[in-house]
Amino acid sequence: MKKIIFLALTAIALALAQNAVPVDKMIDDGRFQAAYAEGIKQGGAKALALAAKAASFYAVYEAKDLEKGSWFDKAEDAAKKAIQADKDYAEGYFELARAHGRLAQYRGILESLSLATSVRENLEKTLALNDKHAGAHVALALWNIELNSKGVGWLYGANNGRVVPLFEEAIKLEPQVIIHRVEYATALERLGKKDEARKQLEAALAIAPKTAADRYDQERARKQLAGLK
């Protein structure tokens, strides 16, 4: 009897596992809060990094202004746990860099400066583990231009000369990722290259969206393009 019960429970568990929606699919569908909760529940480096990604996406795309900071805090915590689970998993460092980059907007000036160092170090660690990580190339480009725009780039070795090459490498690696082109356009506009920015926005809008984030990013591209005309 015990063997029958065990086999039945095993079958139920397997059925539930097969029917479970993967965390990355939940993120693609725009179920960011649910994806965060599921990633935390599953644990492990991959699931925790996805939880961090989901928290950051919710903060960026859907959260109200007053709750954004707390969701980036959640992203930071999940990313740190992902790194603890596997110190050789590149996505953990990338998600920590993403969270810290955003948290710098919500914390005091001294802590923000400390976070700037953390962003660079975690992006460099990401690329050391995976030199073809397009998102890390984009984030590092943004790090350079952001610090220089605030007049403190010289303190950290930020260089606007690295911005375009980093974006070009990211787009070479992932030419069909919409957000890369939208961020590139934003950077180009800040560098005074409006015609080139327009081309990147048009390219972003020509790509068929595959995820909820893609649709949000294309809406941003439409608004930016309208502002350039």
Side-chain angles (χ1 to χ4, degrees):
M1 176 61 95
K2 289 183 179 179
K3 185 176 181 180
I4 293 173
I5 293 173
F6 173 77
L7 291 173
L9 291 173
T10 300
I12 292 171
L14 287 172
L16 289 173
Q18 290 172 352
N19 291 328
V21 179
V23 179
D24 52 357
K25 178 64 165 57
M26 295 170 75
I27 294 173
D28 288 348
D29 291 343
R31 299 168 56 195
F32 304 132
Q33 293 184 78
Y36 166 76
E38 182 61 25
I40 294 297
K41 176 183 174 182
Q42 289 184 17
K46 181 178 179 179
L48 288 165
L50 286 170
K53 178 179 180 179
S56 286
F57 275 22
Y58 177 71
V60 169
Y61 295 120
E62 295 182 353
K64 296 178 181 178
D65 288 344
L66 291 177
E67 60 178 338
K68 287 181 181 293
S70 65
W71 276 94
F72 287 126
D73 284 336
K74 289 182 172 67
E76 176 189 34
D77 183 64
K80 286 181 176 179
K81 288 177 179 176
I83 293 169
Q84 289 173 357
D86 185 350
K87 296 187 183 303
D88 294 321
Y89 187 54
E91 294 300 325
Y93 296 97
F94 176 69
E95 291 303 334
L96 185 56
R98 191 205 306 262
H100 281 175
R102 294 291 186 171
L103 280 169
Q105 302 170 17
Y106 297 91
R107 296 184 177 174
I109 183 65
L110 292 178
E111 189 170 0
S112 294
L113 291 175
S114 175
L115 288 172
T117 300
S118 172
V119 170
R120 184 195 64 214
E121 290 176 347
N122 282 295
L123 290 175
E124 290 174 347
K125 181 66 174 179
T126 302
L127 290 169
L129 291 167
N130 177 11
D131 63 357
K132 298 187 183 304
H133 196 296
H137 284 89
V138 168
L140 195 54
L142 294 174
W143 179 87
N144 279 275
I145 198 169
E146 187 65 28
L147 287 180
N148 278 322
S149 72
K150 287 180 166 52
V152 295
W154 62 276
L155 286 170
Y156 300 90
N159 181 357
N160 278 358
R162 300 187 64 200
V163 173
V164 170
L166 284 164
F167 271 114
E168 289 293 330
E169 180 64 19
I171 289 173
K172 178 182 176 182
L173 290 167
E174 294 180 345
Q176 296 299 306
V177 174
I178 293 169
I179 189 58
H180 297 346
R181 294 184 180 274
V182 179
E183 295 289 14
Y184 192 11
T186 303
L188 287 168
E189 187 176 0
R190 293 174 73 175
L191 293 171
K193 301 180 179 182
K194 289 190 176 182
D195 289 341
E196 294 178 42
R198 184 178 291 106
K199 290 178 183 178
Q200 291 300 325
L201 292 171
E202 290 170 347
L205 292 170
I207 299 170
K210 297 178 181 178
T211 68
D214 285 345
R215 291 185 284 276
Y216 282 118
D217 294 332
Q218 282 195 328
E219 182 57 30
R220 173 181 162 189
R222 288 188 190 93
K223 292 178 181 178
Q224 286 186 222
L225 187 58
L228 284 174
K229 293 180 178 178

